[in-house]
Amino acid sequence: MRGVGLVVGINQCVFPPRSELPNFVGSKTRHHLHLHLLQFESGKRWPCTRLSFDSKRVKLVSPSMDASASSASVSGSGAEYSEQLLGAKPKQKKKRIAGIDQDELLDPAILADPDSYFCEFKGVQVHHKVCHVNHRMTDSFPFETVRVGLPMILLHGFGASVFSWHRVMKPLAKVVGSKVLAFDRPAFGLTSRVDPYEHLSASNEDTKPLNPYSMLFSVLATLYFIDFLAAEKAVLVGHSAGSLVAVNTYFEAPERVAAMVLIAPAIVAPFTARKVLKENQFKSDSQRKEDSSNSTIRGNPFVKLYNIFSKFSKYIVQAIMHLMKGMGEMVSSFYKKVLSAVLRSAFALMLTRMVIDKFGIAAVKNAWYDSSRVTEHDLYGYTKPLRAKGWDKALVEYTVAMLTESSSESKPPLVNRLNEISCPVLIVTGDCDRLVPSWNAERLSRAIPGSCLEVIKNCGHLPQEEKAEDFVSVVDKFLLRVFGGSPEQRLQAAT
């Protein structure tokens, strides 16, 4: 049977000699009383628990905690020690995503840089930065100032933000001799994350609801910033998926776009040569069949009867195809609703977080030709938006909009309209781009009339970051060729 005995050492255990007491300066001298609790069981002495008193603190220390307790300062009620003694587990923090703690997500405005700006566009707080021309600006980019007299708007790609332009904004401002503006598209950077349902319900009933994560929103935001800079036209620079925004903005308002620079454009280039060949071949085959049919009809009445029956069957088939088209639209609508529901599920949200955590940093490094040059500052710039509230849900909504958005029936697909672009276009690609191969950029340059192609050596998917000086040099030469010469010639090129 276990017993508990209290042994109090009157002289040396509790109150040591006065000469052994430490001397404290001042009036806050504290006297300690140590009571040693001893456990006895079958005549054995068990490790003791020491109870320490002073005028302000109480410490209950077990042998297993003695080392940590001697170095720690415990105040108040000692709740943390009580939890440890009772075996209570401390609260676990949420999982970190790509090295970013998800416990306390912040409003994007709190994460803003000193040179950040916010403006409201259609209910969304859009984060942007503007680089003004500074004639006293001294940097390592000794390029001739073209003085286009037109601003430049930078459009980032998927998963990027304004940060992806931080190496080239000042040099580009010096090259064009005007303002350079970059903004974060919804779901990226520090632009506010909004719930699309709440946003659509809060919109004006007189206007058509606009999904903030749609392509049309990004296009209209680009045109808004051209007006924001008080300009009639602007030079659009799009990187990767941002090239889609630039090209769609051109087709939305071609009179507002002076020129385009498409960097590693994520636009699938068409097989133009094969398409023309097949079309011509189809026409010639159809003509031969028609001539052969006409000659046969004159000589054979049975064939004439067959052709009449064929025409009747053709009308029947057309009616069935029209019906099938209506059913196809119904199936497509149902498919989009199901896909939207799946993508907005808790499982999809968990999967998004898992993918970003697993492959986010690896994707940034893989975008460079030489991943050893990626710095901690670069990784911080790309992962910083993961500290913003609602970043995961916004990314899911962007994906939903991208996969379910249908093109207008009145407009042909973008890939079939590339030959209609008439403004000056520069296409820049890295020869070692692993995400968007350089051969796609070459095909795209053949599809856009009069476009220029520049391939930067030993460069990956981010020429404006990995080869900033080479990139600015290429843009400088392009703008000098397009807008160079006398002021009259520059004005004519801009109009």
Side-chain angles (χ1 to χ4, degrees):
M1 182 175 179
R2 178 179 298 180
V4 179
L6 176 63
V7 179
V8 180
I10 298 177
N11 211 354
Q12 298 180 356
C13 293
V14 179
F15 300 110
R18 189 173 298 270
S19 59
E20 297 181 11
L21 287 175
N23 295 323
F24 296 95
V25 180
S27 59
K28 296 183 178 180
T29 303
R30 291 172 292 183
H31 300 283
H32 295 268
L33 173 65
H34 298 279
L35 300 181
H36 292 267
L37 302 181
L38 304 180
Q39 289 182 334
F40 296 88
E41 183 177 5
S42 302
K44 296 182 180 180
R45 187 178 180 219
W46 290 76
C48 66
T49 299
R50 185 175 70 256
L51 185 63
S52 177
F53 293 89
D54 62 27
S55 58
K56 293 186 177 180
R57 295 188 295 178
V58 177
K59 277 200 290 189
L60 183 60
V61 185
S62 64
S64 61
M65 295 169 53
D66 189 48
S68 60
S70 62
S71 62
S73 176
V74 181
S75 60
S77 60
E80 295 179 358
Y81 282 96
S82 301
E83 289 180 356
Q84 292 180 9
L85 289 173
L86 295 175
K89 294 183 179 180
K91 294 182 179 179
Q92 294 183 352
K93 291 186 176 181
K94 295 181 181 179
K95 184 180 178 182
R96 296 167 67 88
I97 303 295
I100 301 299
D101 192 358
Q102 299 293 293
D103 267 336
E104 295 182 0
L105 299 180
L106 305 173
D107 187 271
I110 300 177
L111 300 171
D113 299 320
D115 58 343
S116 293
Y117 295 93
F118 290 86
C119 66
E120 183 176 347
F121 176 70
K122 296 188 178 298
V124 178
Q125 292 293 326
V126 182
H127 172 249
H128 62 281
K129 293 185 178 183
V130 182
C131 184
H132 300 268
V133 180
N134 183 359
H135 299 292
R136 298 179 180 178
M137 189 189 315
T138 58
D139 48 45
S140 59
F141 295 86
F143 302 119
E144 180 182 352
T145 300
V146 181
R147 296 211 176 274
V148 178
L150 295 173
M152 179 179 284
I153 295 182
L154 310 178
L155 305 165
H156 65 78
F158 181 87
S161 65
V162 167
F163 176 80
S164 62
W165 304 106
H166 73 282
R167 285 181 172 90
V168 297
M169 283 191 72
K170 287 183 179 180
L172 289 175
K174 189 175 181 181
V175 164
V176 298
S178 185
K179 296 178 180 178
V180 173
L181 182 146
F183 72 95
D184 290 333
R185 293 190 286 141
F188 305 108
L190 300 183
T191 289
S192 64
R193 274 67 170 169
V194 297
D195 189 324
Y197 292 107
E198 295 179 1
H199 185 268
L200 295 178
S201 62
S203 61
N204 192 345
E205 296 181 357
D206 298 334
T207 60
K208 184 179 179 180
L210 181 61
N211 186 345
Y213 302 104
S214 65
M215 174 61 70
L216 182 57
F217 185 96
S218 295
V219 167
L220 296 180
T222 304
L223 295 174
Y224 165 80
F225 278 113
I226 297 178
D227 294 332
F228 177 82
L229 296 173
E232 292 294 328
K233 290 188 173 188
V235 178
L236 302 185
V237 181
H239 171 249
S240 193
S243 298
L244 278 170
V245 180
V247 173
N248 277 283
T249 302
Y250 171 82
F251 284 120
E252 183 70 22
E255 72 280 359
R256 308 299 303 274
V257 180
M260 288 190 293
V261 179
L262 309 179
I263 312 166
I267 302 174
V268 180
F271 294 95
T272 51
R274 294 183 182 179
K275 183 178 180 181
V276 172
L277 178 63
K278 288 183 178 180
E279 186 177 356
N280 293 337
Q281 183 179 359
F282 175 76
K283 288 183 178 179
S284 60
D285 291 345
S286 299
Q287 187 66 34
R288 285 197 298 268
K289 287 182 180 180
E290 186 176 352
D291 294 341
S292 177
S293 178
N294 289 336
S295 62
T296 306
I297 289 174
R298 296 190 199 91
N300 196 330
F302 293 102
V303 174
K304 183 177 181 180
L305 181 64
Y306 172 78
N307 287 335
I308 293 174
F309 178 76
S310 297
K311 289 181 179 181
F312 176 75
S313 301
K314 182 179 179 181
Y315 291 127
I316 298 296
V317 170
Q318 287 179 348
I320 294 175
M321 291 298 295
H322 184 73
L323 179 63
M324 290 296 293
K325 182 180 179 181
M327 293 179 63
E329 292 176 353
M330 290 177 57
V331 172
S332 177
S333 177
F334 176 74
Y335 160 76
K336 289 179 180 179
K337 290 181 179 179
V338 172
L339 181 62
S340 299
V342 171
L343 291 175
R344 291 189 175 105
S345 65
F347 173 76
L349 190 65
M350 179 190 67
L351 185 63
T352 300
R353 295 168 66 91
M354 185 174 65
V355 169
I356 296 298
D357 181 49
K358 189 74 173 178
F359 304 106
I361 293 179
V364 175
K365 293 182 177 180
N366 190 56
W368 285 57
Y369 165 72
D370 184 4
S371 60
S372 64
R373 295 180 57 198
V374 180
T375 65
E376 290 298 325
H377 177 69
D378 296 324
L379 296 178
Y380 174 79
Y382 275 91
T383 57
K384 181 180 178 179
L386 300 180
R387 299 173 59 193
K389 289 181 179 179
W391 69 265
D392 47 357
K393 293 181 180 179
L395 193 58
V396 167
E397 291 297 336
Y398 176 86
T399 306
V400 170
M402 182 175 59
L403 295 179
T404 62
E405 198 172 43
S406 57
S407 59
S408 174
E409 293 184 357
S410 61
K411 299 178 181 179
L414 181 65
V415 69
N416 296 336
R417 305 179 66 193
L418 295 174
N419 59 350
E420 301 175 13
I421 298 176
S422 59
C423 74
V425 176
L426 170 65
I427 300 175
V428 182
T429 184
D431 64 339
C432 299
D433 191 337
R434 303 182 186 94
L435 302 183
V436 181
S438 58
W439 54 258
N440 183 76
E442 295 174 3
R443 280 172 37 195
L444 191 65
S445 67
R446 292 195 295 266
I448 300 177
S451 62
C452 304
L453 175 66
E454 291 286 349
V455 181
I456 299 179
K457 300 297 182 182
N458 300 324
C459 182
H461 189 61
L462 301 166
Q464 76 276 19
E465 296 190 62
E466 190 171 10
K467 296 284 186 175
E469 188 171 350
D470 294 342
F471 169 75
V472 176
S473 177
V474 164
V475 174
D476 174 63
K477 293 176 182 178
F478 168 73
L479 295 178
L480 186 62
R481 183 167 60 248
V482 173
F483 300 102
S486 63
E488 291 78 12
Q489 290 175 329
R490 289 198 296 269
L491 180 61
Q492 184 178 0
T495 56

